[in-house]
Amino acid sequence: MSTIAAQPRIIGQVAPVRRTRVTAPVASTAHPRPRPVASQSAPDGRLRLTRRGRVVVVALGLLLAVAGVMGGRAVAESPQQAVEVQTYAVQTGDTMWSIAQGVAQPGEDVRDVVLQLQRLNDLADTSLLAGQVLLLPADV
């Protein structure tokens, strides 16, 4: 027999709701109920971890260890070759281009020499001031 035949209902009709009456518990003086512990600590004051808590703590520890190994990796570059240099005091009217033309080897691109001079002297751009001392490669 199907459930429809066993419990016939009309579509759209709502089943009645059963209400239960809540009564106040009777206080007994013979055996008082133990109160629930408010904190999640063991009787000796230590913190008690659940299984899920232990898994989370272990996972965080592993994550920190992996981050320390991966993030703390230092990459050493090979030291740059030593360049023998000479000093040059910039004169009025000198430009980085004119100085680079004087330093450039035959067939060498002057733009590359300008960049090399900027790196050698730790300059942000090609502006120069009269009296400024520049380092120039000594192989000229």
Side-chain angles (χ1 to χ4, degrees), residues 53-120:
R54 286 189 294 271
V55 169
V56 168
V57 168
V58 168
L60 285 175
L62 288 174
L63 181 67
L64 287 174
V66 168
V69 169
M70 299 302 287
R73 190 179 302 183
V75 179
E77 295 181 11
S78 63
Q80 296 178 353
Q81 287 183 336
V83 177
E84 190 175 335
V85 294
Q86 62 185 11
T87 59
Y88 174 75
V90 177
Q91 304 297 317
T92 305
D94 280 345
T95 62
M96 186 67 83
W97 187 266
S98 65
I99 296 171
Q101 281 179 329
V103 172
Q105 299 294 324
E108 192 174 15
D109 191 1
V110 179
R111 292 174 290 192
D112 293 336
V113 177
V114 169
L115 289 174
Q116 180 185 5
L117 291 176
Q118 279 183 292
R119 286 189 201 119
L120 185 63

